[in-house]
Amino acid sequence: MEEIVEARKSGQRVIGEPVVYGLVLDDSGLWDPGFINAAKYVMSPPIRALGHDKSLQAAFSTGNLQFVETDQCAFNSTQKAFGINDFRKIPNGVNGIEERMHLVWDTMVESS
């Protein structure tokens, strides 16, 4: 995000698009002791630590980030379990294309 902001300040034409989950979640779900629940949060880009969501929201609300995307690649818990012995084998992705605008509205408009 900082690179996009700096590039825009220098006059470059760049577009930034956070995933909706970066705007509304932190990485606490990844540390759930239950594999099935933690595996639900494996996506790209990865969800960041608490506080990054607020930075992304600020950049989005000021126009430094322009679009909201999803990591739309839904896998069920059976498929996510492929990585139970090796996290690198957890299928990467989550659903959310239907929920993305609701989440943005609830987080950035209704809660303001």
Side-chain angles (χ1 to χ4, degrees):
M1 177 193 67
E2 289 93 4
E3 295 295 327
I4 292 168
V5 171
E6 289 304 312
R8 290 175 63 80
K9 284 181 183 176
S10 73
Q12 296 181 50
R13 295 175 62 183
V14 296
I15 295 172
E17 54 180 5
V19 291
V20 69
Y21 309 107
L23 294 171
V24 300
L25 297 174
D26 62 62
D27 67 349
S28 59
L30 286 168
W31 304 107
D32 190 289
F35 173 83
I36 295 299
N37 195 50
K40 292 177 189 176
Y41 294 90
V42 174
M43 64 190 78
S44 291
I47 298 174
R48 308 294 183 194
L50 184 63
H52 284 207
D53 55 339
K54 300 300 180 203
S55 297
L56 289 173
Q57 289 172 24
F60 187 59
S61 67
T62 59
N64 286 312
L65 299 173
Q66 293 76 37
F67 301 99
V68 178
E69 63 161 313
T70 66
D71 183 23
Q72 181 63 28
C73 195
F75 293 101
N76 63 35
S77 57
T78 301
Q79 293 166 314
K80 290 280 190 171
F82 291 148
I84 197 159
N85 294 315
D86 183 346
F87 77 94
R88 297 171 299 174
K89 294 181 181 176
I90 299 172
N92 189 334
V94 297
N95 64 338
I97 199 160
E98 294 176 9
E99 294 86 7
R100 104 183 127 162
M101 291 296 99
H102 297 288
L103 291 169
V104 170
W105 179 266
D106 288 347
T107 302
M108 304 213 37
V109 177
E110 284 293 318
S111 67
S112 299

